[in-house]
Amino acid sequence: MILLLLLAAAPARAAAPAPDAPAAAVVRSKEWVVRRGKRPEEEFKGDVRYDAAGTHLSADWALHRRARRDWKARGRVVLRRVLADGTVVEADGETARYDERTRAGSLLPAPGGLVRLTRTPPAGEPDRGEGARLDWSGQDEATLSGAARVWGPRLALWADTARFERDGSRLTLDGGRPVLEKVEGEWTTALKADRVVATESPRRIEARGDVRGWLIFKDQARRLKELEKK
């Protein structure tokens, strides 16, 4: 699911390898300004790049406030993560925030634009998505909101809000009469409802409120036999 892009891609500390960052973590920029005192902070200007353990962030500008333990980035922000199976997940926008304590972050587009997402598996075509805002909380939850849309060879969806919860692999679509289309597997479906909830374990789709759509099994004869046994 493309919302598994819970990137945790915010920089860990600053500049060269930092005490609480992975050994290979490093931040580079054309200019680095360090401000000391009661509210120490580090400002990175021009071609900012962060790399560590398969995670990459790039932006035109970034600020790390040590006392608050948070980060801000703006200007052509790109978050990229290479997962263990070789899948590459990428999101781009205009501004980003990340809180090291809560592990909560957000990515917003430039005015009038959209946050764009791409999930590219090692083999096959990518899934793509877009929305007015992306928020995440650690690696447990991510929400794409504001005319959220995802499309690709596996599924397609439209909703005001699409929220993915890692616990139980739950996808919840709300607002704007959400639409979900499943296009792979033993069965395919397309439906519209007031709310749609899909889970991986168990594999299940629930639609509530004036549900409309269709469901087709690839092997209809086999499915009918299974139903007759019940």
Side-chain angles (χ1 to χ4, degrees):
M1 200 69 68
I2 197 169
L3 290 183
L4 269 171
L5 61 78
L6 298 171
L7 295 170
R13 238 4 215 175
D20 57 351
V26 63
V27 181
R28 299 183 179 88
S29 61
K30 291 183 178 179
E31 184 178 353
W32 178 29
V33 180
V34 179
R35 301 184 181 93
R36 306 186 185 280
K38 293 183 179 181
R39 298 179 180 178
E41 62 183 27
E42 293 150 314
E43 184 177 7
F44 302 88
K45 301 179 182 180
D47 195 21
V48 182
R49 295 179 180 275
Y50 167 87
D51 290 282
T55 294
H56 170 85
L57 178 147
S58 64
D60 293 335
W61 173 91
L63 178 70
H64 180 220
R65 298 185 294 185
R66 290 200 173 206
R68 297 189 179 186
R69 295 184 61 193
D70 66 0
W71 284 82
K72 296 180 181 179
R74 68 168 179 255
R76 297 180 294 177
V77 178
V78 176
L79 305 176
R80 185 175 184 270
R81 181 78 180 266
V82 180
L83 305 182
D85 64 355
T87 297
V88 178
V89 182
E90 187 170 288
D92 64 82
E94 182 62 19
T95 61
R97 292 174 177 266
Y98 181 74
D99 189 310
E100 293 177 349
R101 294 168 295 184
T102 64
R103 299 176 65 203
S106 62
L107 178 65
L108 283 78
L114 294 170
V115 170
R116 301 191 185 279
L117 319 172
T118 305
R119 173 187 177 274
T120 306
E125 295 298 315
D127 294 305
R128 303 184 187 277
E130 61 185 23
R133 180 186 181 104
L134 174 68
D135 295 275
W136 67 90
S137 179
Q139 296 187 21
D140 299 320
E141 183 176 318
T143 301
L144 183 64
S145 55
R149 180 188 174 207
V150 173
W151 66 96
R154 285 157 280 277
L155 61 83
L157 65 85
W158 296 263
D160 286 349
T161 300
R163 184 175 73 255
F164 179 83
E165 299 166 85
R166 187 174 184 179
D167 185 18
S169 296
R170 178 187 299 268
L171 174 67
T172 303
L173 307 180
D174 280 305
R177 293 280 293 163
V179 174
L180 175 65
E181 181 180 359
K182 178 180 176 293
V183 294
E184 72 168 2
E186 296 181 0
W187 50 273
T188 60
T189 185
L191 55 86
K192 176 187 286 189
D194 292 336
R195 188 181 214 207
V196 179
V197 179
T199 59
E200 285 288 339
S201 181
R203 290 191 176 182
R204 184 175 181 177
I205 295 177
E206 294 183 9
R208 305 169 189 171
D210 192 19
V211 182
R212 302 189 181 188
W214 49 261
L215 174 67
I216 297 177
F217 290 92
K218 291 185 177 179
D219 190 339
Q220 294 279 20
R222 177 183 175 184
R223 181 56 180 168
L224 288 172
K225 290 180 180 179
E226 291 177 352
L227 291 173
E228 288 173 356
K229 294 178 181 178
K230 294 183 179 181

